[in-house]
């Protein structure tokens, strides 16, 4: 037992990874919550989507499409024999390709299964590396807090149905935090150092935001070897080892990004994935750095994340004085990562962009609480945690309930467009703003107005040299022999070429949860192509699900005249 700054700490508080392993209440409750809530969301989605399973976004289908092309044609892209840097997560695409090769019959549910595995990994890591939520007796308070964390704060069931790489990236972030903590506290083995560098490199392949994590690791290691935050660790860690390992973490991040950039350039595209290229502007590699006020505003858009940042910051201020420092390294990694994320990246889009920060910050906060709060007062901490989740994560709770409606958005809009194009235009080129299910189901060339699958558009958006004007679009559709366009009616900056006209619109009559527009417009060249498209749309209309209304050009014209 040790006493510091009026705080009594026990071995259970400072080393939760190696004690109380019999307290499996958290593990059992968390896993049951994950499985039960995910099952309910999937079941409701299947019920309202006529038995079809889809994800809440179109993006998972982009990765599935690329995995399909990689397995079937050896092509990195969304269409056969045409390279395109459409994935911002090469690691996730390769992982899906590997499982698709082994389990081709399970292709559509592989993202779901992999995310369930990643969410389970996250829960196991929390069970092993924090003691605040580890309990053996069944008590309503820790059980309720565990359920709230899994379903609401960490948003695990809904992120499983997002079908992207974010949960796996969050699990890898937790591993980085644990390894840094192990390194700065009496683990001098080079094996642990190598594991840290390997995990950083792998995490970078899944999300390039790991660059922020690498900077946090380097900062934490150096700080732990200095007097301010290294009262207990600097004699063990050493300035030289801290500096070398920190530089190694940055290099481990640079290597996968550099390899991907070189491959892209070898195939005639940019250094960055098209999605990142299109989001940056004015030729800047990292985009525009936000001002401190804009960064704070962005981070505050997720109140739970902001609260975790403030907890870490307050703890580090205390630690810099004469306060406890057991979890200072982890807190520094998290805080630096969160600040850099706020400066350069985004928050939102169904809570997925900041998911790794909320999950990692929760581990840091729980460990801090276990360190500074006496065991007898932990029920008060749990009660306060439950209140804070109820207040600060209310938006996540609402999105959890709306997850099946997000699946419905995808099924009734993006999936139906893909089915129509596959039935009537398979093998022919098309233009769209949703690249996922259309390229997964349809075979043929594609022009993507958002730039993910079409490098010239991504480059033009990045350079600010075009707003997708009629002449620019006409050249692209002629070059790719586009036969039909299916885009959002309010596609930003998109101008229809003069020889093309709107044929019909599909309007979705339900709240917009995961889609940018409730209306998809179909265009064709004037003359025979217009008549063909209109005929095909009429033939497909009986197959449209409920809450989707088809409006044809005659009615659109009457509506336009009436409004005028």
């Amino acid at each position: 037992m040790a006493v510091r700054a009026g705080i009594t700490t026990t071995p259970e508080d400072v080393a939760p990874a190696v004690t109380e392993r019999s307290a499996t209440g958290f593990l059992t409750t968390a896993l049951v919550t994950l499985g039960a809530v995910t099952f309910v969301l999937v079941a409701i989605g299947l019920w309202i989507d006529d038995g079809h399973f889809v994800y809440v976004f179109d993006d998972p289908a982009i990765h599935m499409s690329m995995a399909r092309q990689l397995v079937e044609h050896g092509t990195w892209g969304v269409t056969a024999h045409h390279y395109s840097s459409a994935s911002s997560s090469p690691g996730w695409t390769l992982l899906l390709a590997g499982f698709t090769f082994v389990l081709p019959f399970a292709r559509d549910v592989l993202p779901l299964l992999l995310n369930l595995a990643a969410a389970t990994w996250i829960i196991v890591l929390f069970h092993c590396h924090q003691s605040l939520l580890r309990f053996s007796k069944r008590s309503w308070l820790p059980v309720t807090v565990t359920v709230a964390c899994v379903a609401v704060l960490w948003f695990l069931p809904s992120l499983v149905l997002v079908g992207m790489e974010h949960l796996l990236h969050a699990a890898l972030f937790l591993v980085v935090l644990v390894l840094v903590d192990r390194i700065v506290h009496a683990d001098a083995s080079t094996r642990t150092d190598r594991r840290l560098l390997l995990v950083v490199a792998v995490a970078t392949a899944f999300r390039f935001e790991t660059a922020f994590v690498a900077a946090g690791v380097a900062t934490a290691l150096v700080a732990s070897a200095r007097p301010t935050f290294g009262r207990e660790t600097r004699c063990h860690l050493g300035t030289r080892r801290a500096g070398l390992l920190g530089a190694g973490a940055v290099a481990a991040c640079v290597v996968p990004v550099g390899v991907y950039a070189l491959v892209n350039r070898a195939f005639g595209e940019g250094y960055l994935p098209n999605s990142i290229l299109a989001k940056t502007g004015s030729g800047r590699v990292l985009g525009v750095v936000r001002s401190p006020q804009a960064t704070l505003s962005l981070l505050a858009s997720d109140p739970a994340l902001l609260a975790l940042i403030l907890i870490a910051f307050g703890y580090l201020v205390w630690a810099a004085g004469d306060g406890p420092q057991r979890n200072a390294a982890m807190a520094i990694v998290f805080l630096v990562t969160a600040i850099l994320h706020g400066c350069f990246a985004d928050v939102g889009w169904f809570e997925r962009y900041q998911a790794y920060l909320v999950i990692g910050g929760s581990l840091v906060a729980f460990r801090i609480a276990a360190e500074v709060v006496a065991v007898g007062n932990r029920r008060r901490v749990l009660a306060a945690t439950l209140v804070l989740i109820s207040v600060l994560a209310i938006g996540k709770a609402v999105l959890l309930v709306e997850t099946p409606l997000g699946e419905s958005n995808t099924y009734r809009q993006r999936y139906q467009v893909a089915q129509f194009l596959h039935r009537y235009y398979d093998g022919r080129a098309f233009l769209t703003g949703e690249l996922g299910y259309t390229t997964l189901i349809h075979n043929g060339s594609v022009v993507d107005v958002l730039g993910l699958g079409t490098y010239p558009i991504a480059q033009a958006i990045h350079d600010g040299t075009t707003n997708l004007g009629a002449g620019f679009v006409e050249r692209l559709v002629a070059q790719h022999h586009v036969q039909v366009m299916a885009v959002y009616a309010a596609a930003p900056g998109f101008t229809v070429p003069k020889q093309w006209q709107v044929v019909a619109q599909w309007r979705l009559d339900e709240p917009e949860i995961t889609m940018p527009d409730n209306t998809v417009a179909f265009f064709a060249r004037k003359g025979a192509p217009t008549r063909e498209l209109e005929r095909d749309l009429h033939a497909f209309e009986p197959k449209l699900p409920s809450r989707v209304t088809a409006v044809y050009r005659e009615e659109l014209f009457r509506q336009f005249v009436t409004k005028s």
Side-chain angles (χ1 to χ4, degrees):
M1 180 181 295
V3 178
R4 184 191 305 112
I7 297 169
T8 302
T9 60
T10 65
E12 296 87 43
D13 300 321
V14 299
V18 295
T19 58
E20 297 184 21
R21 289 197 179 277
S22 61
T24 59
F26 165 77
L27 183 64
T28 302
T29 302
L31 291 177
V32 169
T33 301
L34 171 66
V37 177
T38 303
F39 176 81
V40 170
L41 294 179
V42 171
I44 295 174
L46 290 172
W47 177 54
I48 64 178
D49 295 341
D50 307 323
H52 292 82
F53 174 73
V54 295
Y55 297 92
V56 297
F57 282 103
D58 187 66
D59 298 34
I62 298 177
H63 295 280
M64 288 192 288
S65 178
M66 294 185 68
R68 170 200 168 199
Q69 300 302 336
L70 193 59
V71 170
E72 295 181 359
H73 304 287
T75 301
W76 186 264
V78 291
T79 58
H81 313 302
H82 178 73
Y83 182 93
S84 63
S85 183
S87 171
S88 60
S89 178
W92 184 249
T93 302
L94 290 171
L95 185 64
L96 281 178
F99 277 95
T100 300
F101 180 78
V102 176
L103 305 169
F105 56 88
R107 180 195 69 185
D108 293 344
V109 297
L110 285 176
L112 171 73
L113 298 178
L114 291 173
N115 271 293
L116 278 173
T120 300
W121 190 12
I122 288 170
I123 289 171
V124 171
L125 287 168
F126 269 89
H127 169 69
C128 294
H129 297 287
Q130 58 82 36
S131 61
L132 186 69
L133 278 182
R134 295 178 64 207
F135 52 92
S136 55
K137 292 183 178 180
R138 296 293 179 178
S139 174
W140 73 268
L141 185 56
V143 168
T144 305
V145 172
T146 299
V147 171
C149 285
V150 171
V152 179
L153 180 62
W154 304 337
F155 207 53
L156 297 186
S158 293
L159 288 173
V160 165
L161 289 171
V162 166
M164 300 281 283
E165 71 280 355
H166 302 88
L167 283 179
L168 183 53
H169 182 245
L172 291 169
F173 183 41
L174 292 180
V175 174
V176 169
L177 290 172
V178 170
L179 289 175
V180 168
D181 178 73
R182 185 174 300 170
I183 288 169
V184 301
H185 289 98
D187 189 340
S189 67
T190 57
R191 180 179 180 182
T192 304
D193 294 355
R194 290 194 296 267
R195 286 181 61 190
L196 173 65
L197 300 183
L198 177 61
V199 173
V200 169
V202 171
T204 303
F206 283 94
R207 294 292 297 179
F208 285 1
E209 287 92 333
T210 307
F212 312 144
V213 179
V217 168
T219 305
L221 292 173
V222 172
S224 298
R226 304 296 299 170
T228 302
F229 292 104
R231 289 194 300 269
E232 299 177 356
T233 62
R234 63 193 179 102
C235 294
H236 151 69
L237 188 60
T239 303
R240 183 174 183 275
R241 183 189 176 205
L244 290 175
L245 191 53
V250 174
C253 175
V254 170
V255 169
V257 175
V259 170
Y260 195 61
L262 291 175
V263 172
N264 273 356
R265 291 301 296 170
F267 282 92
E269 298 204 353
Y271 289 106
L272 297 171
N274 291 341
S275 60
I276 299 178
L277 181 68
K279 290 177 182 178
T280 60
S282 304
R284 301 190 183 190
V285 175
L286 294 177
V288 178
V289 181
R290 293 188 179 91
S291 66
Q293 295 84 353
T295 298
L296 180 60
S297 176
L298 183 79
L299 295 174
S301 64
D302 187 336
L305 174 59
L306 182 61
L308 293 170
I309 292 172
L310 293 176
I311 290 172
F313 178 77
Y315 173 79
L316 289 173
V317 171
W318 188 14
D322 193 32
Q325 293 189 338
R326 179 59 180 78
N327 294 290
M330 295 179 71
I332 292 172
V333 174
F334 166 69
L335 188 61
V336 172
T337 301
I339 292 173
L340 290 176
H341 185 100
C343 289
F344 294 101
D346 291 321
V347 167
W349 277 105
F350 217 72
E351 308 299 305
R352 53 184 175 141
Y353 290 149
Q354 74 271 29
Y356 78 109
L357 293 174
V358 173
I359 293 170
S362 297
L363 179 63
V364 173
F366 290 166
R367 286 177 62 102
I368 289 173
E371 178 187 3
V372 304
V373 177
V375 174
N377 293 326
R378 289 189 183 180
R379 286 189 63 84
R380 297 178 182 177
V381 175
L382 291 177
T385 301
L386 186 59
V387 171
L388 287 174
I389 293 175
S390 302
V391 174
L392 301 179
I394 186 66
K396 299 178 191 291
V398 172
L399 280 180
L400 174 69
V401 175
E402 292 179 338
T403 297
L405 191 55
E407 297 174 80
S408 176
N409 286 175
T410 296
Y411 169 68
R412 283 170 164 76
Q413 189 187 72
R414 300 142 172 151
Y415 186 78
Q416 297 306 318
V417 171
Q419 290 288 352
F420 172 78
L421 292 173
H422 174 63
R423 180 178 293 271
Y424 296 102
Y425 286 86
D426 202 45
R428 292 192 279 176
F430 66 98
L431 180 147
T432 186
E434 290 286 10
L435 201 60
Y437 282 102
T438 55
T439 59
L440 180 63
I441 298 175
H442 175 275
N443 298 291
S445 181
V446 60
V447 174
D448 175 21
V449 296
L450 297 182
L452 276 68
T454 307
Y455 172 67
I457 291 181
Q459 185 64 58
I461 295 174
H462 172 81
D463 294 340
T465 57
T466 181
N467 61 351
L468 300 182
F472 182 80
V473 175
E474 179 61 40
R475 288 191 297 273
L476 278 176
V477 299
Q479 177 184 350
H480 291 270
H481 308 289
V482 169
Q483 302 295 304
V484 61
M485 299 181 186
V487 295
Y488 292 121
F494 177 76
T495 305
V496 181
K498 292 182 179 180
Q499 298 303 314
W500 291 69
Q501 63 181 359
V502 64
V503 176
Q505 291 182 351
W506 287 351
R507 295 177 181 173
L508 185 58
D509 303 319
E510 66 181 19
E512 303 168 24
I513 305 300
T514 60
M515 58 185 184
D517 193 345
N518 69 345
T519 301
V520 172
F522 292 87
F523 297 87
R525 288 189 181 274
K526 296 176 181 179
T530 291
R531 293 190 293 272
E532 178 190 6
L533 177 56
E534 186 170 13
R535 181 177 64 251
D536 294 339
L537 287 167
H538 276 291
F540 190 80
E541 185 177 354
K543 300 178 178 63
L544 289 174
S546 60
R547 302 198 296 276
V548 180
T549 303
V551 184
Y552 296 91
R553 54 179 176 153
E554 294 83 1
E555 177 61 23
L556 291 172
F557 179 74
R558 285 195 294 270
Q559 293 177 6
F560 175 77
V561 171
T562 302
K563 291 180 180 180
S564 301

